[in-house]
Amino acid sequence: MPPYRKLGPLPPKRHIAHRREGGYRGEGIYYEEVVTTAGFGRAYSICYHLRPPTRVRNVEAAGTLPIETSTEFELRHHHIRTNDFQSEGDVVTGRLPLLVNDDVIIARCRPALPQSELYRNATADEVIFVHQGQGTLQTMFGVVPFRAFDYVVIPRCTTYRLEFDHAVRPDLLVIEATGTVGIPPRYLNPDGQLRMGAPYSERDLHGPTEVSVIDKEEDVPVLIKDGERLTRYTLAHHPFDVVGWDGMDYPFTFNADDFEPITGKVHQPPPVHQTFEAPGFVICTFAPRMLDTHPDAIKVPYAHSNVQADEVLYYVRGHFGSRRGVDRASITLHPRGIPHGPHPGTIVASREMTRTDELAVMIDTVRPLALTRHALEWDDPQYPYSWLE
Ligand SMILES: [Fe+2]
């Protein structure tokens, strides 16, 4: 969870009246809402609204976003090229899921349209990696600006609008987590602060800096997703009417270029790149970094089998030292149980290198991932044989 944050006016104690002049129905208070992350046992925030957040005027079914997985008859490596797709729809309806299991949905999205209505994911935390684009995330907690190479972390039940600047076409990797996305516990000291030596610090996590109150008594639709189902809630007022809040549940950004890579005399194992985690998977950042310094160091990763793990790499920027044939926005899936390693020639090619400019996002899952129809359409069936070349 990001560190405790506090914006706008708050009463001196939780769960007591936050008084104001007049107000909704002349009741003379702001209306408290407690937003939690896992029942009532984990991180939470307390928000104060102009009006009760429960004023729903209409509830209607709004269709589904079904995910079609494919049956694979063999276990093999995959290389899914995603640099040329055109998507339709907006940042919600335009998502193309590629790899899924019960813990995570990994999708690509190039929204063609502005987000048509407010949106809220009721059952998944969302991490939106901004490969290209910039803009603002608008929520009841305030506005969070984002830019290229940001991870935009949006806790479940955060109603939001993502607004993109027109100058650059947005290109996104969208990760939906069934469990709560958080900071790896080993990065935290016993006092809950990011440890010295962790690959980022609190200063690198950017939440809202001021509240942005919308005081509008009007019908506002909110599209709510839970699993594949969509429901449209029409609220009787704009839900971004929070005058103050505090806590540890709020959206924030972290820029991949702010990751502080840990390097060594010889090759460091993948967990040094870990950035976030959620039940069933981790997110890692392969950021530009110095390479290993031992005079005989092999500077690309050793061959290995993924044991109880499926390994997904999304190639963002730069030259990826251990792979040949991957492009911008390529996705490789090296599944459980079969070895992969550096492509032929890359060990020798890296011998004289002292640093790498690669930027990639890795998602390692505990449970096997299924490919969707889109993923198989863009998959290179020759990839398993690419280590022979
Ligand atoms: Fe690997």
Side-chain angles (χ1 to χ4, degrees), residues 57-225:
R57 196 179 294 289
N58 191 49
V59 178
E60 61 179 344
T64 56
L65 291 172
I67 297 178
E68 269 182 71
T69 55
S70 299
T71 303
E72 285 184 275
F73 295 100
E74 72 283 333
L75 174 69
R76 67 171 175 87
H77 297 310
H78 293 277
H79 177 190
I80 304 159
R81 294 179 191 277
T82 74
N83 201 32
D84 295 324
F85 81 98
Q86 305 293 321
S87 64
E88 298 167 352
D90 66 14
V91 73
V92 177
T93 58
R95 295 176 187 183
L96 292 173
L98 298 176
L99 299 165
V100 300
N101 67 19
D102 287 345
D103 301 314
V104 64
I105 300 170
I106 302 168
R108 292 276 284 123
C109 184
R110 287 178 170 166
L113 303 167
Q115 187 177 328
S116 59
E117 48 198 352
L118 295 178
Y119 164 72
R120 172 185 180 100
N121 195 326
T123 49
D125 285 11
E126 296 188 352
V127 179
I128 299 178
F129 179 77
V130 182
H131 193 160
Q132 185 174 289
Q134 59 187 43
T136 53
L137 170 71
Q138 299 157 12
T139 73
M140 72 175 179
F141 299 96
V143 175
V144 183
F146 63 84
R147 61 193 168 98
F149 315 124
D150 270 348
Y151 294 96
V152 184
V153 181
I154 309 172
R156 72 198 59 214
C157 302
T158 303
T159 300
Y160 73 80
R161 178 189 300 283
L162 271 173
E163 202 162 283
F164 295 92
D165 294 353
H166 295 301
V168 188
R169 188 180 175 204
D171 193 1
L172 312 170
L173 178 73
V174 182
I175 302 162
E176 295 183 29
T178 305
T180 302
V181 173
I183 294 167
R186 71 177 189 280
Y187 290 173
L188 302 172
N189 63 29
D191 308 294
Q193 187 178 21
L194 276 155
R195 283 180 191 275
M196 300 184 75
Y200 55 89
S201 80
E202 283 81 358
R203 294 186 203 176
D204 300 314
L205 307 178
H206 305 285
T209 53
E210 56 187 352
V211 290
S212 175
V213 184
I214 300 177
D215 179 7
K216 270 190 188 161
E217 182 75 15
E218 63 176 16
D219 285 2
V220 178
V222 178
L223 194 62
I224 299 182
K225 182 165 102 140

Side-chain angles (χ1 to χ4, degrees), residues 270 286 301-306 311 313 323 334 340-341 362 364:
F286 286 78
Y302 32 76
H304 65 103
S305 293
N306 290 319
E311 176 189 311
L313 266 164
R323 291 267 91 75
H334 299 131
H340 66 282
M362 185 171 81
D364 264 14

